[in-house]
């Protein structure tokens, strides 16, 4: 909804134009792709859902209207996550997937063809079943007030929510209402364990996620154990003594099992047979493979190579290694001032943020800049014949506020998965760094993409998406080995960015190249070698103004500095894995800063902590910041 600002200023009339929230009052508000909503719309939905009303405010003029609705949303998790605050507002969740059963798919096709051929006849054919279903719903509604939610069922609900560590109490309330409705649907007046179980499968899966890398869903075996334990706890507290010590007898004539444990159910595992699932800290440690003077890709150790010479690669594929623990990374920004989607990374003109100026409205008036509007109208008041206290306002006098906030970017990862990266167990640390950057991209509302290069070519492992969970899954299964086609990875990045620029021109890219800078492949000589081809590909990206960061993964006592040379060709900056950490004492505060804006030339410059100006070996520029 919105207010007519022109009439509000000129006439003092609160002319309100209702919006979707007003239309949805006492009805259903359906949101497709709800995970792609902008943050300010999510905030409006949260406020309306919490208070049952919507407030529209413009420059001190407020309008309140009722907005009580049932919120239904659909989303594809591969395209991005939903904010936890809004996710908790959805009481129940259902996963919808196409059937894999051929017979069911045949029935779907047959019914669709029958409907297309004769819609009226198809509707009449199923009218009886529709009537029966409608009657069953009406009967369940009539029965619902008489359904009893007993203490035993309520204890099961509370125990289940506590055991699965869901936040807040909303899950308990939703489960209680759902279990009661399921009992009424089944024609019963008492809530049973089966109702509680089904309610948990509907109300808890989307509430259990703690971070974007947690897998959704609910462990049904664990759920059954919790329900059984809470149901057993509701039994008699003072059973009739049967044994010589006043307790029930076990199978051997003594008390139930060692330490008073109940006996095993026949045909099923007992408590001593139950083992918790092995987590990462419970798994057997993997011993490193014996090392040799050669790298894993068949290349000699760089410490034994002459400085400045590229290391040739070969070798076969190696199994994927686990990523190291993620850490908090420093923020990497795209230079200039963008106009992309709201986010938390780079500076941009956005609908929310601090006011930096005013301009004439482009289309419908957004946020009114009151002072600028008054200044524009003031010189014309006498010519317009003003005689009363109000301003004589025209459409051309209106000015909207220009605000500066943060935008989300497209962070494209180009990850070196060649054999040289697997040397000395380096890939585990590299995956941990990329995982940390993925988590940072999730928190800053970025889109992400991932390109890997190894062997002879580069592969788009993850097309640009808002789902960092998909990126983490691709990273976990990433194998290593083979040669290092660095130029192929950079050219693939150029192609992906070109396509994405056509799809979403306002979203600016940030290229993150994770490599040690080595390049291998066919060709010889300074002009046609693999390093020369990689340099040309990097300069191509730089010429189009792509902001870039090179994460230097080189390690060992002797370093070739090839990643720094790549950063210079990209007109970006290079950071080591240690400098990437936000908590690293020795790291510089590095942002991708530069001259120019938009897609012009962008030269990266590291920032200092303000105490001294430190010259980077990667770029000739340095500056001091407060």
């Amino acid at each position: 909804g919105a207010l007519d600002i022109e009439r509000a200023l000129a006439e003092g009339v609160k002319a309100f134009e209702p919006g979707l929230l007003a239309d949805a009052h006492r009805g259903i508000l359906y949101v497709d792709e709800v995970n792609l909503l902008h943050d300010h719309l999510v905030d409006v939905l949260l406020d309306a859902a919490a208070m049952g009303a919507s407030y529209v405010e413009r420059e001190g003029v407020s309008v309140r209207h009722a907005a009580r609705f049932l919120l239904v949303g659909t989303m594809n998790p591969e395209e991005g996550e939903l904010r936890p605050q809004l996710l908790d507002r959805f009481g129940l969740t259902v996963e919808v997937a196409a059937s894999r059963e051929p017979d069911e798919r045949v029935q779907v096709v047959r019914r669709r063809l029958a409907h297309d051929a004769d819609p009226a006849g198809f509707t009449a054919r199923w009218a009886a079943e529709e009537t029966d279903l409608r009657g069953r719903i009406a009967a369940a509604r009539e029965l619902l007030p008489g359904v009893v939610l007993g203490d035993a069922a309520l204890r099961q609900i509370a125990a289940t929510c506590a055991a699965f560590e869901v936040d807040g109490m909303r899950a308990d309330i939703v489960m209680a209402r759902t279990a009661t409705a399921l009992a009424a649907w089944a024609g019963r007046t008492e809530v049973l364990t089966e109702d509680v179980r089904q309610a948990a499968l509907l109300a808890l899966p989307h509430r259990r996620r703690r971070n974007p890398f947690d897998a959704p869903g609910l462990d049904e075996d664990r759920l059954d154990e919790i329900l059984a334990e809470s149901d057993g706890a509701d039994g008699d507290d003072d059973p009739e003594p049967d044994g010589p010590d006043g307790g029930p007898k076990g199978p051997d004539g003594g008390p139930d099992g060692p330490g008073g444990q109940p006996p095993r159910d026949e045909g099923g595992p007992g408590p001593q047979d139950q083992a918790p699932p092995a987590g990462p800290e419970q798994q057997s440690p993997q011993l490193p493979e014996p090392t040799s003077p050669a790298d894993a890709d068949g290349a000699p150790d760089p410490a034994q190579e002459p400085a400045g010479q590229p290391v040739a690669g070969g070798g076969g594929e190696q199994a994927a290694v686990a990523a190291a623990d993620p850490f908090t990374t420093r923020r990497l920004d795209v230079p200039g001032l963008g106009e992309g989607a709201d986010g938390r990374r780079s500076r941009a003109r956005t609908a929310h943020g601090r006011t930096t100026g005013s301009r004439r409205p482009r289309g419908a008036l957004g946020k009114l800049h009151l002072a600028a509007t008054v200044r524009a109208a003031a010189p014309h008041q006498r010519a317009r014949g003003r005689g009363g206290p109000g301003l004589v306002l025209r459409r051309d006098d209106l000015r909207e506020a220009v605000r500066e906030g943060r935008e989300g970017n497209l962070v494209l990862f180009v990850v070196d998965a060649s054999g040289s990266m697997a040397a000395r167990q380096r890939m585990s640390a590299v995956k941990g760094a990329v995982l940390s950057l993925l988590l940072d991209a999730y928190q800053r509302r970025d889109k992400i993409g991932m390109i890997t290069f190894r062997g002879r070519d580069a592969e788009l492992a993850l097309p640009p998406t808002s789902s960092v969970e998909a990126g983490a899954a691709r990273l976990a299964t990433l194998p290593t080995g083979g040669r290092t086609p660095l130029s192929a990875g950079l050219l693939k990045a150029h192609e992906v960015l070109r396509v994405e620029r056509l799809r979403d021109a306002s979203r600016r890219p940030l290229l993150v190249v994770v490599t040690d800078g080595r390049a291998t492949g066919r060709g010889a000589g300074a002009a046609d070698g693999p390093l020369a081809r990689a340099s040309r590909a990097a300069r191509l990206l730089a010429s189009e103004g792509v902001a870039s960061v090179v994460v230097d993964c080189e390690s060992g006592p002797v370093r070739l500095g090839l990643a720094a040379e790549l950063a210079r060709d990209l007109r970006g900056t290079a950071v080591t894995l240690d400098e990437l950490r936000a908590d690293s004492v020795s790291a510089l505060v590095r942002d991708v800063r530069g001259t120019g804006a938009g897609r012009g030339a962008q030269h990266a410059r590291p920032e200092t902590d303000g105490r001294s100006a430190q010259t980077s070996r990667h770029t000739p520029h340095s500056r001091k910041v407060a």
Side-chain angles (χ1 to χ4, degrees):
L3 295 175
D4 190 332
I5 302 298
E6 187 174 354
R7 292 189 63 189
L9 288 178
E11 305 174 22
V13 177
K14 294 183 180 180
F16 176 66
E17 182 181 355
L20 288 178
L21 293 184
D23 293 341
H25 179 54
R26 302 181 65 182
I28 296 175
L29 178 63
Y30 168 66
V31 184
D32 191 21
E33 305 291 356
V34 65
N35 53 324
L36 302 184
L37 282 179
H38 289 300
D39 281 353
H40 71 281
L41 294 178
V42 172
D43 294 336
V44 171
L45 282 179
L46 285 173
D47 292 342
M51 298 182 292
S54 176
Y55 291 84
V56 182
E57 299 183 354
R58 297 289 187 275
E59 300 297 337
V61 182
S62 317
V63 172
R64 175 186 181 274
H65 66 81
R68 296 184 180 275
F69 49 83
L70 177 63
L71 183 61
V72 178
T74 57
M75 58 179 283
N76 179 6
E78 291 290 322
E79 296 178 351
E81 304 301 324
L82 198 60
R83 283 173 55 182
Q85 301 94 323
L86 183 58
L87 195 64
D88 189 47
R89 289 288 174 180
F90 289 96
L92 309 177
T93 181
V94 178
E95 182 179 356
V96 181
S99 173
R100 301 302 182 206
E101 293 293 331
D103 292 340
E104 292 183 358
R105 298 175 73 94
V106 167
Q107 287 297 323
V108 171
V109 174
R110 288 188 184 278
R111 293 186 186 182
R112 177 66 199 190
L113 294 177
H115 176 271
D116 292 342
D118 184 11
F122 183 86
T123 303
R125 190 180 313 155
W126 295 97
E129 293 196 15
E130 294 259 351
T131 302
D132 293 342
L133 183 60
R134 187 180 300 110
R136 187 178 176 187
I137 294 174
R141 284 181 172 176
E142 292 180 2
L143 185 60
L144 184 61
V147 176
V148 177
L149 179 64
D151 291 341
L154 195 55
R155 188 175 291 108
Q156 286 182 323
I157 292 171
T160 301
C161 293
F164 282 111
E165 300 179 352
V166 295
D167 294 328
M169 298 296 297
R170 193 183 305 276
D172 302 63
I173 298 172
V174 169
M175 276 189 62
R177 292 174 175 170
T178 305
T180 304
L182 288 170
W185 175 253
R188 288 184 270 100
T189 57
E190 183 180 2
V191 175
L192 303 180
T193 299
E194 61 190 79
D195 302 321
V196 176
R197 185 182 190 278
Q198 184 62 32
L201 294 176
L202 294 170
L204 298 186
H206 63 294
R207 289 185 164 90
R208 293 195 58 245
R209 296 171 65 88
R210 291 294 182 270
N211 61 64
F213 304 135
D214 291 340
L218 206 64
D219 186 346
E220 296 192 29
D221 293 336
R222 173 64 176 153
L223 174 61
D224 291 336
E225 292 178 7
I226 296 169
L227 293 176
E229 291 173 1
S230 57
D231 185 49
D234 193 48
D236 295 335
D237 295 332
D238 188 18
E240 182 179 352
D242 288 332
D245 58 350
K249 294 183 180 180
D252 57 353
D256 291 353
Q261 295 292 330
R264 264 193 318 193
D265 291 336
E266 186 174 347
Q272 64 270 25
D273 296 329
Q274 299 290 339
E281 69 281 354
Q282 296 172 323
Q283 296 175 354
S284 301
Q286 297 181 353
L287 298 178
E289 298 180 358
T291 57
S292 63
D295 278 349
D297 62 348
D301 193 297
Q304 302 176 3
E305 285 291 308
Q309 295 295 326
V311 180
E317 180 177 305
Q318 301 183 22
V321 298
D325 293 335
F327 52 85
T328 303
T329 65
R330 296 190 180 278
R331 188 178 68 202
L332 303 172
D333 294 336
V334 176
L337 192 64
E339 295 185 353
D342 289 348
R344 298 179 180 176
R345 183 173 296 280
S346 305
R347 293 174 56 230
R349 295 187 182 93
T350 60
H352 304 274
R354 62 186 181 91
T355 301
T356 59
S358 63
R359 66 185 178 189
R360 293 180 182 272
R362 300 175 180 176
L365 178 66
K367 185 71 173 179
L368 178 74
H369 195 296
L370 183 59
T373 300
V374 173
R375 284 197 303 266
H380 309 288
Q381 296 305 297
R382 181 176 298 178
R384 293 173 182 174
R386 174 189 171 188
L391 288 174
V392 180
L393 206 64
R394 300 288 185 267
R395 176 69 183 177
D396 292 341
D397 299 331
L398 297 179
R399 298 292 184 270
E400 65 180 3
V402 175
R403 296 176 175 270
E404 182 177 314
R406 294 277 173 180
E407 68 176 357
N409 298 111
L410 167 60
V411 183
L412 182 61
F413 295 93
V414 181
V415 182
D416 186 349
S418 64
S420 64
M421 296 291 289
R424 292 179 292 276
Q425 306 298 319
R426 197 185 314 171
M427 198 61 192
S428 177
V430 170
K431 284 188 175 183
V434 177
L435 198 65
S436 304
L437 290 168
L438 284 173
L439 184 57
D440 180 71
Y442 167 76
Q443 295 169 344
R444 300 191 187 281
R445 306 291 190 266
D446 293 319
K447 290 182 67 175
I448 62 165
M450 185 181 299
I451 294 172
T452 62
F453 59 94
R454 56 185 289 273
R456 296 183 179 181
D457 204 357
E459 175 190 3
L460 181 59
L462 180 67
T465 175
S466 298
S467 175
V468 296
E469 179 188 353
R474 303 295 194 279
L475 188 68
T477 58
L478 177 64
T480 57
R483 297 182 179 271
T484 314
L486 178 57
S487 60
L490 297 176
L491 291 176
K492 188 71 172 179
H494 178 268
E495 178 187 348
V496 171
L497 293 179
R498 179 184 61 82
V499 174
E500 286 301 309
R501 190 176 297 126
L502 297 175
R503 292 176 177 172
D504 188 358
S506 64
R507 188 179 290 270
R508 298 184 295 164
L510 173 62
L511 183 67
V512 179
V513 185
V514 185
T515 181
D516 55 10
R518 302 180 186 183
T520 59
R522 297 182 178 181
D528 193 38
L531 284 178
R533 293 197 298 271
S535 178
R536 289 196 295 269
R539 290 196 297 270
L540 174 63
L541 287 164
S543 67
E544 298 187 357
V546 177
S548 59
V549 176
V550 178
V551 180
D552 187 356
C553 303
E554 193 172 25
S555 61
V558 178
R559 303 190 180 188
L560 305 179
L562 297 177
E565 294 181 8
L566 177 63
R568 281 196 291 271
D569 290 332
L570 286 167
R571 297 179 191 172
T573 187
V575 295
T576 64
L577 290 176
D578 181 61
E579 291 171 345
L580 193 63
R581 293 177 176 269
D583 57 355
S584 175
V585 178
S586 62
L588 296 175
V589 180
R590 296 179 180 271
D591 289 337
V592 184
R593 302 288 189 187
T595 58
R599 293 188 176 83
Q602 299 174 355
H603 300 273
R605 291 185 289 184
E607 289 187 356
T608 68
D609 59 3
R611 291 173 292 182
S612 63
Q614 304 181 20
T615 303
S616 170
R617 66 186 177 92
H618 306 312
T619 64
H621 305 287
S622 65
R623 64 174 175 174
K624 183 184 292 185
V625 295

